[in-house]
Amino acid sequence: MYCQDVHEVIANALNSNVKGFLIPGADPKDLPKAVELAQQYDEVFFSVGVHPYDAKDYDKEVLKKYVTHPKCIAIGECGLDYFRLPEDENEKEEEIKRQKEVFANQVQFAREVNKPLIVHVRNASNDSKKILLDNNAGKVGGVLHCFNADEQLLSLANENFYFGIGGVLTFKNARKLVQVLSKIPKEKIVVETDGPYLTPHPFRGKRNEPSYTNYVVEKIAELLEMEVDEVKTLTTNNAKTLFKEFSNIN
């Protein structure tokens, strides 16, 4: 959804005081374009990973080809998503087993290459947390992408994990996330887009883009009774702590 105007999207974000970009790897077929953009812009980085919906196509050897690139700074988006499982019980069991195996393998891969994780969790908090803990994911840490407001995941803050907050926070029906936000340690909050989805109010329904993270920051400031600039500084510093390569961006 950005093919025609990606450079304009990046320019808009830079003009809106966005300092850095991380393109998550969900489908390996998109990695060549991510590398191309990362090489064009000092502010753009990428990660390598396979989304749980594409677990059947997982090939670690493909990821290995890209993970040594100097602009590759994370592993993911990986994780578990039980939202659209097959209705047939046997197929459902097979899909869950496949997702678990692929997720665990990517956690182990992250430890091998010493890069943080970008973790996708949807309707699968128990299994996701268990896999992270069983595979010592805390050694590399990471971010719970598009944090689902499940309080049982908050303890992962003690395992070097951060919580990605996006446009959902601005939705009128986001009561759960609004209530949980104050329970997240402030030093573990980062801001994200999940573009092209979950566009914040007042642009909900339109394509999301990085410049709109400013609206998420404003909502965080309102809910936590902080100044907007204070939240910008906080979340920027948190992102630089999580992704060390961001520290080189002014």
Side-chain angles (χ1 to χ4, degrees), residues 33-211:
K33 183 62 177 178
V35 171
E36 179 184 330
L37 289 170
Q39 291 178 165
Q40 284 182 271
Y41 295 92
D42 290 341
E43 301 90 348
V44 176
F45 299 83
F46 71 96
S47 66
V48 294
V50 174
H51 189 283
Y53 281 172
D54 298 309
K56 64 182 182 301
D57 299 321
Y58 177 66
D59 186 346
K60 183 177 176 181
E61 296 305 311
V62 174
L63 303 188
K64 283 182 177 180
K65 295 177 181 178
Y66 293 91
V67 75
T68 56
H69 192 287
K71 299 298 287 288
C72 177
I73 64 174
I75 303 301
E77 171 181 353
C78 58
L80 302 178
D81 192 318
Y82 295 168
F83 184 66
R84 292 193 183 97
L85 293 173
E87 292 184 7
D88 180 84
E89 286 300 322
N90 290 331
E91 292 180 8
K92 182 186 296 186
E93 288 182 15
E94 288 178 10
E95 175 63 18
I96 289 175
K97 180 182 179 182
R98 181 188 299 115
Q99 285 194 24
K100 286 181 176 181
E101 290 175 349
V102 169
F103 181 28
N105 193 281
Q106 289 183 87
V107 174
Q108 293 161 12
F109 183 43
R111 290 184 54 198
E112 289 173 18
V113 297
N114 194 33
K115 295 183 187 294
L117 289 151
I118 300 173
V119 180
H120 174 105
V121 180
R122 192 177 190 190
N123 293 10
S125 292
N126 287 336
D127 287 348
S128 298
K129 184 176 180 179
K130 185 176 189 304
I131 286 173
L132 290 171
L133 295 176
D134 288 351
N135 290 277
N136 297 317
K139 289 193 173 182
V140 292
V143 57
L144 299 182
H145 155 65
C146 195
F147 176 52
N148 64 9
D150 191 333
E151 292 195 31
Q152 69 171 303
L153 298 176
L154 292 175
S155 63
L156 290 172
N158 301 321
E159 302 293 332
N160 200 22
F161 275 86
Y162 293 68
F163 300 80
I165 308 299
V168 170
L169 188 68
T170 69
F171 296 176
K172 291 181 180 179
N173 61 351
R175 290 186 298 273
K176 189 175 180 183
L177 183 57
V178 167
Q179 293 170 353
V180 169
L181 181 67
S182 63
K183 299 180 181 182
I184 302 173
K186 289 181 180 178
E187 69 275 11
K188 296 295 184 179
I189 297 174
V190 293
V191 177
E192 62 178 26
T193 59
D194 196 29
Y197 312 109
L198 303 181
T199 310
H201 178 80
F203 300 102
R204 190 173 183 184
K206 298 182 180 180
R207 182 188 68 174
N208 201 356
E209 55 181 77
S211 63

